[in-house]
Amino acid sequence: MSSQRPILVPILGDQLTRDIASLRGRAKDDTVILMMEVWDEATYVKHHKQKIALIFSAMRHFAQDLRDAGWTVDYASLTDEGNAGGFSGEVARAVERRTPRAIHVVQASEWRVQQDIEQWPDKFACEVDIMPDDRFVCSLDEFNDWAEDRKTLRMEYFYREMRRKTGILMDEDKPEGGEWNYDSENRKPPKDGLNAPQRPLFEPDDITREVIELVEDQFADHFGNLDRFGWPVTRAQAEETADAFFAERLPFFGDYQDAMVHGQDDLFHSMLSTSINLGLLDPLELCQRAEREYEQGNAPLNAVEGFVRQIIGWREYVRGFYWRFMPGLESDNALNAQRGLPEFYWTGKTDMRCLADAIRSTRENAHAHHIQRLMVLGNFALIAGISPREVQDWFLVVYADAYEWVELPNVAAMVLYADGGKLASKPYAASGNYINKMSNYCSECKYSVSKKTGEGACPFNALYWHFMDRHRERLEKNPRIGRIYSNWDRMGEDRQAEYLDSAETFLDTLEPAQSGWARDQ
Ligand code: FAD
Ligand code: DLZ
Ligand code: SF4
């Protein structure tokens, strides 16, 4: 360590890369890295046990890597005596211990934490440099410039800009293959026996085992179980997961992107979100690699474009959207949805087979794939009119990849239309028909998907029309959805009443969650 006072570099739990802006170009003998396990972050909602274990294990492995590479790392473990319990308190302790000449920190990914960090220049008697997070293709200023004069924000146009900016899947200034988006080819229903190769699951090593014990001990009352913990916790493991995806699943990623198969939890999805969000993998490199697979003839264009769109399209877009509309986004409720979250979201105890399977996967794996989140769990919450705050909390708790910056726009805006349509051109409401088409759930469900109303009818069917009816005033003007109302009107009053009664009878059976799983009451 040099004789002058060092630079203190706090690295947050989702900034686990040596290429983070605050470390880039720094000298090892002039830098103290600070990593902090803190009670505030572990409990602001009662995260799934696997999520806490994943983050702590990845943090501890990363700290070890940094030390092995010659960096000085101050690491605050959750149960260390004197742990201040929050980022600001831990930085204060480090400032006292190390008397740094400056603090260099990369902007937090979440609004809550960033509010704290912005107090640091007033709190600490040294210079504080808060740097932009340049792990994204689009900076926040760039997003705001793009969004500024638009009446409506649509991912598709933003995505085209990102394609142009990165040059990915571009043929000079034209999109590869002539189209920007091959989504229409990415809606194949699952064929019988559709089976995807198992993703790599990693046997917990000593560090992970220790963390699992800590989580069992300190967070026993949190949702989920740790039995199947196999998440990648190092960059090497994350790369192995990516290798397996590119070799075995990418070619089918597009075709079966929207498919759901009972008990096939990952299908052809990449299972890379936890690693990308933690910083273990670089999102742009993954897209470039997918592009190479296309160029080498290993994967078709619809698959590669679909994958690239999720990352440089949706992922970048929701991040810009989050920062543009926070803090209001978390309390938006344009559809005035007030119903409590049903207890079955936590227990999985429901006869609706689609929901039960998605919740089982959520509890066992801290993961459900996109279409389960959107069209099963999300769709039900939308059409049943569940309060956005309760749905947001649930999604933030239960997924190992959940951070508010990505969870909130997806839940509040994409799924629940709580933003009134800033993000999506229409609510993604669907009846049982959609789920039946895209899955094998319905054939063995206790409910009948072809029955529309009355006893034994699939609840999604009546709830769908209940939703459309109660939001008619707003939705009938929407060109993408308004024409549905001519079908509704053609049914006649008696049939309409049967739908509405059926929906209400079903809604009356829902038990609201009592158990305080999301937050301490
Ligand atoms: P793949 O299907 O293989 O997709 C590849 C990558 O694209 C993902 O790893 C992810 O980085 C990115 N991606 C795909 N869809 C989205 C999207 N809509 N928004 C942002 N990035 C996307 N993703 C999270 O990372 N954290 C969340 O908390 C989260 N909450 C969600 C909540 C709801 C209601 C919905 C509908 C989606 C949510 N998503 C979230 C997006 C998506 O469902 C997950 O990223 C995906 O299921 C992760 O699995 P995967 O890595 O196998 O994804
Ligand atoms: C999610 C999480 C949890 C559970 N615990 C910690 C922690 O103890 N220390 C930490 O640095 N990060 C943690 N995280 C991730 C943070 O919430 C994440 O870094 C913030 O989203 C940054 O905005
Ligand atoms: Fe879900 Fe309805 Fe199909 Fe049952 S019948 S699995 S509730 S969509």
Side-chain angles (χ1 to χ4, degrees):
M1 192 56 59
S2 85
S3 56
Q4 70 168 339
R5 290 157 61 201
I7 303 283
L8 182 70
V9 178
I11 293 192
L12 308 184
D14 59 355
Q15 300 180 341
L16 307 183
T17 167
R18 284 199 222 172
D19 193 37
I20 197 84
S22 50
L23 273 189
R24 213 175 294 143
R26 292 233 46 76
K28 288 178 185 164
D29 66 353
D30 185 33
T31 305
V32 172
I33 294 171
L34 174 65
M35 296 183 65
M36 306 158 269
E37 291 174 10
V38 289
W39 202 253
D40 285 358
E41 288 308 297
T43 57
Y44 69 90
V45 289
K46 294 172 79 177
H47 310 277
H48 193 300
K49 288 178 190 155
Q50 285 194 30
K51 179 178 173 189
I52 304 179
L54 166 65
I55 293 171
F56 284 6
S57 176
M59 286 173 65
R60 290 181 184 197
H61 280 94
F62 185 64
Q64 190 58 51
D65 272 3
L66 290 168
R67 285 195 190 108
D68 291 349
W71 294 92
T72 303
V73 183
D74 281 5
Y75 192 96
S77 298
L78 189 77
T79 49
D80 281 353
E81 212 177 286
N83 184 314
F87 288 138
S88 293
E90 272 305 305
V91 172
R93 286 187 351 127
V95 167
E96 210 175 299
R97 211 168 45 235
R98 297 287 189 173
T99 57
R101 65 181 192 281
I103 298 173
H104 288 185
V105 64
V106 166
Q107 171 186 21
S109 65
E110 295 180 312
W111 196 84
R112 178 191 77 261
V113 177
Q114 184 61 11
Q115 298 315 296
D116 259 12
I117 293 181
E118 282 172 12
Q119 307 302 314
W120 292 0
D122 295 333
K123 266 195 180 135
F124 303 124
C126 63
E127 184 201 319
V128 178
D129 187 357
I130 305 172
M131 303 168 157
D133 188 345
D134 57 13
R135 291 175 296 164
F136 291 85
V137 173
C138 181
S139 72
L140 297 177
D141 286 345
E142 218 178 325
F143 185 89
N144 283 327
D145 284 348
W146 173 81
E148 199 49 47
D149 296 322
R150 286 167 197 262
K151 260 218 239 116
T152 51
L153 305 181
R154 292 294 169 254
M155 194 286 294
E156 183 60 30
Y157 299 109
F158 170 81
Y159 166 56
R160 293 178 190 180
E161 292 301 313
M162 294 303 105
R163 289 271 294 279
R164 289 191 188 97
K165 179 171 181 185
T166 58
I168 292 179
L169 295 179
M170 293 300 292
D171 182 3
E172 298 189 347
D173 60 346
K174 301 264 177 335
E176 182 66 33
E179 304 289 337
W180 289 102
N181 181 321
Y182 292 88
D183 210 21
S184 58
E185 295 175 30
N186 290 1
R187 293 177 194 145
K188 287 209 173 62
K191 45 184 187 207
D192 279 351
L194 184 68
N195 219 326
Q198 167 79 278
R199 75 177 142 130
L201 289 170
F202 300 92
E203 192 60 37
D205 63 3
D206 288 349
I207 293 180
T208 304
R209 273 200 299 274
E210 200 177 311
V211 164
I212 287 178
E213 252 176 57
L214 172 85
V215 173
E216 292 286 23
D217 193 40
Q218 301 285 329
F219 304 99
D221 63 338
H222 283 218
F223 175 74
N225 58 47
L226 284 153
D227 307 344
R228 289 175 29 141
F229 186 96
W231 290 107
V233 293
T234 62
R235 185 175 167 92
Q237 290 179 344
E239 279 170 351
E240 199 179 321
T241 308
D243 289 348
F245 168 67
F246 286 115
E248 296 166 357
R249 295 167 179 226
L250 176 66
F252 309 99
F253 176 86
D255 286 359
Y256 298 114
Q257 197 175 353
D258 288 1
M260 296 176 278
V261 178
H262 189 262
Q264 285 271 318
D265 296 337
D266 321 333
L267 275 180
F268 297 96
H269 293 273
S270 68
M271 303 302 283
L272 293 175
S273 54
T274 58
S275 303
I276 303 173
N277 293 350
L278 284 169
L280 300 178
L281 293 177
D282 180 77
L284 185 59
E285 277 174 19
L286 291 169
C287 293
Q288 288 160 340
R289 185 159 169 198
E291 182 182 33
R292 281 198 300 280
E293 297 293 330
Y294 166 67
E295 285 165 356
Q296 291 164 7
N298 300 329
L301 186 53
N302 69 311
V304 171
E305 188 280 317
F307 179 73
V308 163
R309 176 160 25 90
Q310 301 316 307
I311 296 185
I312 62 169
W314 280 111
R315 187 172 185 275
E316 294 282 335
Y317 179 70
V318 299
R319 190 243 184 179
F321 188 91
Y322 172 78
W323 283 98
R324 188 166 174 81
F325 294 109
M326 277 302 279
L329 187 58
E330 60 186 345
S331 47
D332 279 353
N333 191 357
L335 300 184
N336 191 26
Q338 301 293 349
R339 189 174 300 279
L341 186 81
E343 177 75 353
F344 74 70
Y345 270 73
W346 299 110
T347 62
K349 287 189 186 146
T350 167
D351 287 335
M352 291 179 279
R353 193 165 182 255
C354 50
L355 279 156
D357 191 51
I359 294 163
R360 176 205 48 77
S361 173
T362 302
R363 192 173 48 241
E364 287 176 2
N365 308 318
H367 194 273
H369 65 69
H370 184 67
I371 215 71
Q372 292 174 313
R373 296 189 205 192
L374 181 66
M375 297 310 294
V376 176
L377 296 154
N379 179 30
F380 183 89
L382 170 74
I383 61 183
I386 315 294
S387 136
R389 282 311 286 257
E390 298 206 17
V391 186
Q392 284 154 209
D393 274 2
W394 186 83
F395 274 96
L396 195 54
V397 165
V398 300
Y399 293 119
D401 59 22
Y403 299 84
E404 193 188 67
W405 68 266
V406 53
E407 169 271 332
L408 187 57
N410 272 295
V411 174
M414 171 140 50
V415 161
L416 298 179
Y417 208 69
D419 65 337
K422 291 190 199 96
L423 182 138
S425 53
K426 65 176 177 80
Y428 283 87
S431 69
N433 234 349
Y434 175 88
I435 296 171
N436 187 34
K437 185 171 141 219
M438 296 311 298
S439 78
N440 67 356
Y441 285 135
C442 303
S443 54
E444 288 180 45
C445 182
K446 281 213 174 142
Y447 292 105
S448 161
V449 72
S450 56
K451 193 160 182 230
K452 306 294 181 200
T453 57
E455 186 136 356
C458 167
F460 281 85
N461 292 337
L463 286 176
Y464 171 78
W465 283 117
H466 194 271
F467 171 83
M468 295 305 291
D469 185 59
R470 66 181 191 268
H471 297 298
R472 181 166 193 154
E473 205 179 314
R474 175 188 287 269
L475 298 181
E476 126 180 284
K477 292 178 235 130
N478 183 321
R480 294 203 56 204
I481 209 166
R483 53 201 154 80
I484 296 283
Y485 287 98
S486 46
N487 298 343
W488 180 236
D489 292 339
R490 266 200 302 278
M491 285 182 200
E493 276 180 21
D494 290 351
R495 188 69 185 127
Q496 286 177 349
E498 281 167 15
Y499 270 105
L500 299 180
D501 288 350
S502 251
E504 271 157 34
T505 305
F506 173 79
L507 288 170
D508 285 345
T509 67
L510 293 177
E511 259 179 68
Q514 302 285 356
S515 36
W517 281 100
R519 292 179 193 259
D520 279 322
Q521 307 283 304

